[in-house]
Amino acid sequence: MRVEVLGCSGGIGGAGFLTTSLLVDEDILIDCGTGVGQLSLEALLRIEHIFLTHAHLDHIAMLPMLIDTIGDLRSRPIIVHAGRETLKVLREHVFNWLVWPDFTVIPGYVNPMLRLEEIRCGQTLNLAGRMITPIPARHAVPATGYLIDSGNGSLAFSGDTAICEEQIAALNAIPDLRYLIIEAAFPESQRAMAEVSCHLSSGMLHEVLRRLTVRPEVFVTHLKPGYAEEIAREVLNYPGDAELRLLAAGQRFELGQQA
Ligand SMILES: Nc1ncnc2c1ncn2[C@@H]1O[C@@H]2COP(=O)(O)O[C@H]2[C@H]1O
């Protein structure tokens, strides 16, 4: 089982700044930000499942165009898995015939191009041995992170989150957690913005790490482009015993195969 980073920036600003998406093997996406636009048509055609952390645009931007591009070239629906509130936003504000056609009823109700399926925190979906579980997060809109587990190695993704007691508890309950991708959207100079928009500042990320009793390799994501250097300087200066690295598009994580 492999996880590849397609995009991990907190915004845009040139080729290196692609927004959030992780590709699991060849057929599963976690979030659908602008990083998905890098995939070839052939690669897009292999996508079967998309798990969303929340409905903010930087995490769903490519979803409408992905469905339109490949929907009629496939024989079965692409399945989007997300929390109830996120699916409601998609139905009411994206696939509403105004912003985009409602592909959940195209070409018809029986075998549409897009299916929306609710998934709840703690509920594991086992896709041929690839286990995907939403974990709690606290953001400006309803949101989750995800745990991705092969049975032989696991990766947790915080999603967009402020300090979230339930997420810290969930991470501490995964004793063999190998990798943690966690956000730090703002530097300390923008702590007030981090608080109002429910993100982590670099100092808040350090606080979360200090409270972890597990010891995964830590990769920092979702840096806002205008502050990327400031955030990087601060997060990498972590005084604790975890080793932090910045996440980069193109990076791959191997999680092994199901035992
Ligand atoms: N009051 C606000 N609440 C939430 N987000 C805000 C606010 N003001 C500005 N923003 C920005 O809007 C962005 C929406 O996406 P993000 O959550 O990644 O980051 C958010 C902030 O950068």
Side-chain angles (χ1 to χ4, degrees), residues 10 54 56-59 139-140 160 185-186 193 196-199 222 224:
H54 65 298
H56 270 169
L57 205 52
D58 52 327
H59 296 252
H139 194 40
D160 283 14
F186 293 102
M193 179 50 81
V196 79
S197 60
C198 291
H199 280 288
H222 210 283
K224 291 285 176 181

Side-chain angles (χ1 to χ4, degrees), residues 103-183:
F103 282 99
T104 66
V105 295
I106 299 173
Y109 286 94
V110 176
N111 190 29
M113 296 183 194
L114 170 64
R115 243 173 53 209
L116 304 178
E117 291 200 353
E118 184 184 339
I119 187 166
R120 291 184 301 278
C121 262
Q123 177 190 347
T124 298
L125 228 66
N126 186 336
L127 299 170
R130 290 96 38 96
M131 287 164 284
I132 317 276
T133 311
I135 60 173
R138 185 165 73 81
H139 194 40
V141 295
T144 66
Y146 280 98
L147 175 66
I148 305 164
D149 190 354
S150 73
N152 256 325
S154 58
L155 179 153
F157 169 45
S158 70
D160 283 14
T161 191
I163 293 179
C164 173
E165 299 301 325
E166 294 82 0
Q167 183 172 101
I168 293 171
L171 295 173
N172 283 335
I174 315 164
D176 58 348
L177 183 62
R178 192 179 298 174
Y179 303 112
L180 171 61
I181 295 177
I182 185 165
E183 72 133 289

Side-chain angles (χ1 to χ4, degrees), residues 4-23 30-40 56-62 157 160 181 220-226 228 247-251:
E4 179 180 350
V5 180
L6 302 179
C8 58
S9 173
I12 58 171
F17 295 90
L18 300 164
T19 71
T20 303
S21 186
L22 305 174
L23 176 64
I30 311 287
D31 279 341
C32 205
T34 65
V36 173
Q38 301 296 299
L39 291 177
S40 67
H56 270 169
L57 205 52
D58 52 327
H59 296 252
I60 66 162
M62 291 295 111
F157 169 45
D160 283 14
I181 295 177
V220 183
T221 187
H222 210 283
L223 286 65
K224 291 285 176 181
L247 193 68
Q251 205 162 342

Side-chain angles (χ1 to χ4, degrees), residues 42-62:
E42 277 176 357
L44 292 175
L45 280 165
R46 295 189 199 107
I47 305 298
E48 298 284 346
H49 298 270
I50 302 173
F51 291 80
L52 298 176
T53 57
H54 65 298
H56 270 169
L57 205 52
D58 52 327
H59 296 252
I60 66 162
M62 291 295 111

Side-chain angles (χ1 to χ4, degrees), residues 225-243:
Y227 302 104
E229 286 178 19
E230 195 179 344
I231 302 166
R233 211 170 34 246
E234 291 176 355
V235 291
L236 297 179
N237 201 17
Y238 180 58
D241 62 357
E243 194 185 318

